[in-house]
Amino acid sequence: MRAFIASSIGVTCAAVLVLPLAVPAGAAPDTSTVPAESVEPVDVPGSTQSLPMRTLPAPPDRSTGEPTRAAAPEQGLPEREVHPFSMVGVVWDDADTELHGTVQVRTRATGTGKWSDWQDLETHNAEHSADPGTAERESGAVRGSTAPLWVGDSDAVAVRVRPEAPDPQDRTGSVVPLPGGLRLELVDPGEDPQQSPATGDGTEPDTQAEPDTGTAGAAGTQDDAAADGRTAPLSPSVLPALNKAQSEAQGEAQAGLAPGTRPYIGPRPSIVTRKGWGADEKLRESKFVYTSTVKAAFIHHSATGNNYTCAQAPSVLRGIYRYHVKSSGWRDLGYNFAVDKCGNIYEGRAGGVTRAVLGAHTLGFNTNSMGIAVLGTFTKSNPPAAAVNAVAKLTAWKLGLFGADPRGKATLVSGGGNKYKKGKKVKLNVISGHRDGFATECPGERLYKKLGSARTSSAKLQGR
């Protein structure tokens, strides 16, 4: 997710008592008590602690033992006890400001008391957001943010943010300060929901009474929560898989195809709904926003790390959802779908799994596309075969609903980014990596190399 150029918060108690742990000799003890910024109702699952950072003492020079003259002061927090959390990230005030530097955290595991090593957070995350000029982007609530990192059950933390060192050969170069308003976000995703059995007929609730007439700039919206078929109180926790014939019949009816027309729609895979992974629908905005169609799928990695089990994947997803909404200021989870390391598929942004829901996943190309996040980090680690196969299954079905060939090309209009200027028509693979639309490392080199096989498999599943 690393980009090459720039492109909540609350807990269930009234205050967060932060208890500092032992500090190095000679360092001033941290005795501050950090209040929560807001208080959420007690029935809201999960919580977010938001802790403002402060300037840290300059680290000593290894050769002299004297403090070094840093280009800009470091910020962070020393080791401290906090309320339990499982995911961590860093945010700052201005979403248009890039963090030039490194962000590292250490966390203490609940129960064992063992501290982790320093772990890096992906600092370049701006390319995962709503397009410039959209209502979501211009809401005034959006913040700059790192990618969140899954750390598991933890009860203490330390963070340090180091500015990028200036080029010693460039005597005229100015010092780039860290962004203003740096805050450490500690996310507790809450408990898993009680699962209810999926419906047995393999059909989704017929609640989409109005046709989708929304367009990119003025996307259609609906206030009725039942319209998405998965966030209503009686919706199933899992949409069961359909065979190809069932999927094509359902797709024909939804697309209004003439009788006898052959649709190329892959079998619908089993999909864990928002209810199934425990999305708190009170967090997101109540309305849904749609675009005209789905021409392409952008594949991402979440960069949340690979240290999770498949049983923890719903918790990871709830953590990302809460971080996107409460910490980053987005209207909902940015991705349209997510896939875990075992190949389980999850509904993402609300609005209906069969519909063209406008996401916030590929800056500049959210219109007429969908975003699929594979949970994990695949810069140096290979993605599991089950996850790649799930991407193929999901795209064969969802792209098929809109008549898209996974092996083909699609022309999209850039909404503005660091690779294509606003308004430029760009021909991209129907199944593209995030880096194809934005200069970024996402979806990681190892996952990106698997997209060719995903295209081939997806097309075969469509019957092409």
Side-chain angles (χ1 to χ4, degrees):
M1 295 187 331
R2 182 177 178 84
F4 300 114
I5 65 174
S7 72
S8 37
I9 296 166
V11 292
T12 53
C13 58
V16 180
L17 179 61
V18 180
L19 305 175
L21 303 181
V23 297
D30 176 13
T31 58
S32 61
T33 298
V34 183
E37 289 192 342
S38 62
V39 180
E40 293 174 352
V42 295
D43 61 340
V44 174
S47 63
T48 303
Q49 301 168 69
S50 184
L51 310 180
M53 294 191 203
R54 67 184 191 195
T55 300
L56 296 177
D61 185 273
R62 291 184 178 180
S63 60
T64 65
E66 298 295 325
T68 58
R69 294 183 178 180
E74 293 184 16
Q75 292 191 40
L77 294 170
E79 294 177 355
R80 55 179 54 202
E81 293 180 347
V82 292
H83 288 282
F85 67 98
S86 298
M87 182 169 279
V88 59
V90 168
V91 300
W92 53 92
D93 293 339
D94 187 355
D96 294 323
T97 299
E98 185 178 1
L99 194 160
H100 293 277
T102 60
V103 179
Q104 295 180 312
V105 296
R106 293 183 69 218
T107 57
R108 189 180 70 183
T110 303
T112 67
K114 182 180 179 180
W115 281 90
S116 72
D117 295 329
W118 286 104
Q119 300 183 80
D120 293 321
L121 271 62
E122 175 54 72
T123 58
H124 298 269
N125 194 47
E127 65 268 28
H128 297 79
S129 61
D131 288 345
T134 61
E136 181 172 7
R137 179 73 179 188
E138 306 302 327
S139 66
V142 178
R143 303 179 184 89
S145 62
T146 68
L149 179 69
W150 178 261
V151 294
D153 293 340
S154 305
D155 59 10
V157 67
V159 59
R160 61 189 184 194
V161 183
R162 291 179 169 173
E164 190 175 80
D167 184 353
Q169 304 300 322
D170 184 5
R171 296 179 178 273
T172 62
S174 59
V175 174
V176 179
L178 293 172
L182 285 169
R183 303 184 73 89
L184 177 66
E185 304 288 294
L186 305 175
V187 180
D188 170 15
E191 298 297 325
D192 286 329
Q194 291 185 345
Q195 300 297 321
S196 59
T199 56
D201 59 359
T203 60
E204 298 177 40
D206 184 15
T207 55
Q208 302 178 38
E210 293 186 31
D212 175 18
T213 58
T215 59
T221 62
Q222 291 188 10
D223 292 303
D224 185 4
D228 81 350
R230 279 140 301 281
T231 57
L234 299 180
S235 61
S237 296
V238 178
L239 296 176
L242 302 179
N243 62 35
K244 195 171 191 305
Q246 291 172 321
S247 300
E248 288 180 346
Q250 191 177 80
E252 285 180 17
Q254 292 174 348
L257 297 177
T261 302
R262 182 182 179 184
Y264 291 97
I265 302 173
R268 186 184 75 186
S270 174
I271 301 173
V272 179
T273 65
R274 290 172 64 91
K275 179 180 179 180
W277 57 261
D280 176 12
E281 303 300 345
K282 294 186 290 294
L283 292 181
R284 65 173 175 85
E285 288 187 9
S286 60
K287 295 182 179 180
F288 309 128
V289 184
Y290 300 100
T291 184
S292 299
T293 187
V294 178
K295 293 183 176 181
F298 286 99
I299 311 304
H300 305 257
H301 67 173
S302 63
T304 47
N306 302 320
N307 295 324
Y308 73 94
T309 66
C310 293
Q312 292 174 321
S315 295
V316 175
L317 199 54
R318 289 197 305 277
I320 297 173
Y321 170 45
R322 176 173 276 274
Y323 184 76
H324 281 181
V325 176
K326 302 295 285 184
S327 300
S328 302
W330 301 358
R331 63 183 308 274
D332 193 354
L333 178 68
Y335 307 112
N336 298 104
F337 294 92
V339 172
D340 69 22
K341 62 175 66 176
C342 290
N344 298 306
I345 299 170
Y346 302 85
E347 177 186 11
R349 179 164 287 208
V353 295
T354 63
R355 304 189 67 183
V357 178
L358 181 66
H361 48 83
T362 306
L363 183 68
F365 291 102
N366 291 306
T367 298
N368 295 337
S369 72
M370 68 175 180
I372 303 171
V374 181
L375 300 180
T377 304
F378 303 107
T379 304
K380 298 180 180 179
S381 299
N382 289 322
V388 178
N389 290 337
V391 169
K393 293 176 182 178
L394 176 58
T395 53
W397 170 70
K398 183 63 183 276
L399 291 172
L401 294 178
F402 294 87
D405 182 348
R407 300 168 303 180
K409 302 284 186 178
T411 299
L412 300 176
V413 179
S414 173
N418 68 357
K419 195 169 184 177
Y420 300 105
K421 65 180 182 180
K422 185 175 182 179
K424 182 177 178 59
K425 294 182 179 180
V426 184
K427 183 175 287 188
L428 297 166
N429 288 316
V430 168
I431 298 179
S432 284
H434 187 182
R435 63 175 59 183
D436 294 320
F438 197 97
T440 173
E441 288 184 357
C442 184
E445 185 66 24
R446 300 293 183 89
L447 177 55
Y448 188 75
K449 289 181 177 179
K450 299 292 185 181
L451 297 188
S453 61
R455 294 182 191 107
T456 301
S457 298
S458 182
K460 287 182 178 179
L461 288 168
Q462 284 188 347
R464 296 183 186 271

